Short mmCIF file of all heavy atoms in Angstrom, two decimals:
data_model
loop_
_atom_site.label_atom_id
_atom_site.label_comp_id
_atom_site.label_asym_id
_atom_site.label_seq_id
_atom_site.Cartn_x
_atom_site.Cartn_y
_atom_site.Cartn_z
N SER A 83 41.56 -41.86 -23.70
CA SER A 83 41.24 -40.67 -24.48
C SER A 83 40.03 -40.93 -25.38
O SER A 83 40.04 -41.89 -26.15
CB SER A 83 42.43 -40.25 -25.35
OG SER A 83 43.52 -39.92 -24.55
N PRO A 84 38.99 -40.09 -25.29
CA PRO A 84 37.82 -40.25 -26.16
C PRO A 84 38.17 -39.94 -27.60
O PRO A 84 39.16 -39.27 -27.89
CB PRO A 84 36.81 -39.24 -25.59
CG PRO A 84 37.37 -38.83 -24.27
CD PRO A 84 38.85 -38.97 -24.36
N GLU A 85 37.34 -40.39 -28.54
CA GLU A 85 37.60 -40.17 -29.94
C GLU A 85 37.08 -38.81 -30.44
O GLU A 85 37.67 -38.20 -31.33
CB GLU A 85 36.97 -41.29 -30.77
CG GLU A 85 37.62 -42.66 -30.54
CD GLU A 85 37.02 -43.73 -31.43
OE1 GLU A 85 36.10 -43.39 -32.21
OE2 GLU A 85 37.46 -44.88 -31.35
N ASN A 86 35.92 -38.37 -29.92
CA ASN A 86 35.25 -37.21 -30.51
C ASN A 86 35.33 -35.94 -29.68
O ASN A 86 34.72 -34.92 -30.02
CB ASN A 86 33.78 -37.55 -30.79
CG ASN A 86 33.03 -37.90 -29.51
OD1 ASN A 86 33.61 -38.41 -28.56
ND2 ASN A 86 31.72 -37.61 -29.50
N PHE A 87 36.05 -35.96 -28.57
CA PHE A 87 36.30 -34.76 -27.77
C PHE A 87 37.54 -34.99 -26.94
O PHE A 87 38.11 -36.08 -26.94
CB PHE A 87 35.08 -34.42 -26.89
CG PHE A 87 34.74 -35.48 -25.88
CD1 PHE A 87 35.23 -35.42 -24.58
CD2 PHE A 87 33.93 -36.56 -26.22
CE1 PHE A 87 34.94 -36.41 -23.65
CE2 PHE A 87 33.61 -37.56 -25.31
CZ PHE A 87 34.12 -37.48 -24.00
N SER A 88 37.97 -33.95 -26.25
CA SER A 88 39.23 -34.01 -25.51
C SER A 88 39.04 -33.93 -24.00
O SER A 88 38.11 -33.26 -23.54
CB SER A 88 40.16 -32.88 -25.98
OG SER A 88 40.44 -32.99 -27.36
N ILE A 89 39.93 -34.58 -23.29
CA ILE A 89 40.07 -34.35 -21.85
C ILE A 89 41.40 -33.62 -21.66
O ILE A 89 42.46 -34.16 -21.98
CB ILE A 89 40.06 -35.66 -21.05
CG1 ILE A 89 38.77 -36.42 -21.28
CG2 ILE A 89 40.24 -35.38 -19.56
CD1 ILE A 89 38.73 -37.81 -20.63
N ILE A 90 41.33 -32.41 -21.15
CA ILE A 90 42.54 -31.59 -20.96
C ILE A 90 42.85 -31.52 -19.47
O ILE A 90 42.02 -31.09 -18.68
CB ILE A 90 42.32 -30.15 -21.54
CG1 ILE A 90 42.03 -30.20 -23.02
CG2 ILE A 90 43.54 -29.28 -21.25
CD1 ILE A 90 40.57 -30.13 -23.39
N ASN A 91 44.04 -31.99 -19.11
CA ASN A 91 44.43 -32.02 -17.70
C ASN A 91 45.41 -30.89 -17.39
O ASN A 91 46.54 -30.88 -17.88
CB ASN A 91 45.10 -33.36 -17.38
CG ASN A 91 44.22 -34.56 -17.70
OD1 ASN A 91 43.00 -34.49 -17.52
ND2 ASN A 91 44.81 -35.65 -18.17
N LEU A 92 44.96 -29.94 -16.58
CA LEU A 92 45.82 -28.86 -16.12
C LEU A 92 46.18 -29.13 -14.67
O LEU A 92 45.42 -29.79 -13.94
CB LEU A 92 45.10 -27.52 -16.25
CG LEU A 92 44.50 -27.20 -17.63
CD1 LEU A 92 43.76 -25.86 -17.59
CD2 LEU A 92 45.56 -27.19 -18.71
N LYS A 93 47.33 -28.65 -14.22
CA LYS A 93 47.79 -29.02 -12.89
C LYS A 93 48.50 -27.86 -12.17
O LYS A 93 49.31 -27.15 -12.80
CB LYS A 93 48.74 -30.22 -12.97
CG LYS A 93 49.27 -30.70 -11.61
CD LYS A 93 50.07 -31.95 -11.74
CE LYS A 93 50.73 -32.32 -10.41
NZ LYS A 93 49.76 -32.51 -9.30
N HIS A 94 48.19 -27.69 -10.88
CA HIS A 94 48.97 -26.84 -9.99
C HIS A 94 49.92 -27.73 -9.21
O HIS A 94 49.47 -28.73 -8.63
CB HIS A 94 48.08 -26.07 -9.01
CG HIS A 94 47.17 -25.08 -9.67
ND1 HIS A 94 46.06 -24.58 -9.04
CD2 HIS A 94 47.22 -24.48 -10.89
CE1 HIS A 94 45.46 -23.71 -9.84
NE2 HIS A 94 46.14 -23.65 -10.96
N GLU A 95 51.17 -27.37 -9.13
CA GLU A 95 52.11 -28.18 -8.35
C GLU A 95 51.79 -28.13 -6.86
O GLU A 95 52.00 -29.10 -6.13
CB GLU A 95 53.55 -27.72 -8.63
CG GLU A 95 54.03 -27.99 -10.03
CD GLU A 95 53.97 -29.47 -10.40
OE1 GLU A 95 54.25 -30.32 -9.51
OE2 GLU A 95 53.67 -29.78 -11.58
#
Side-chain angles (χ1 to χ4, degrees):
S83 298
E85 293 183 0
N86 61 330
F87 62 94
S88 299
I89 301 175
I90 299 98
N91 303 323
L92 308 178
K93 180 175 174 58
H94 294 161
E95 293 301 324

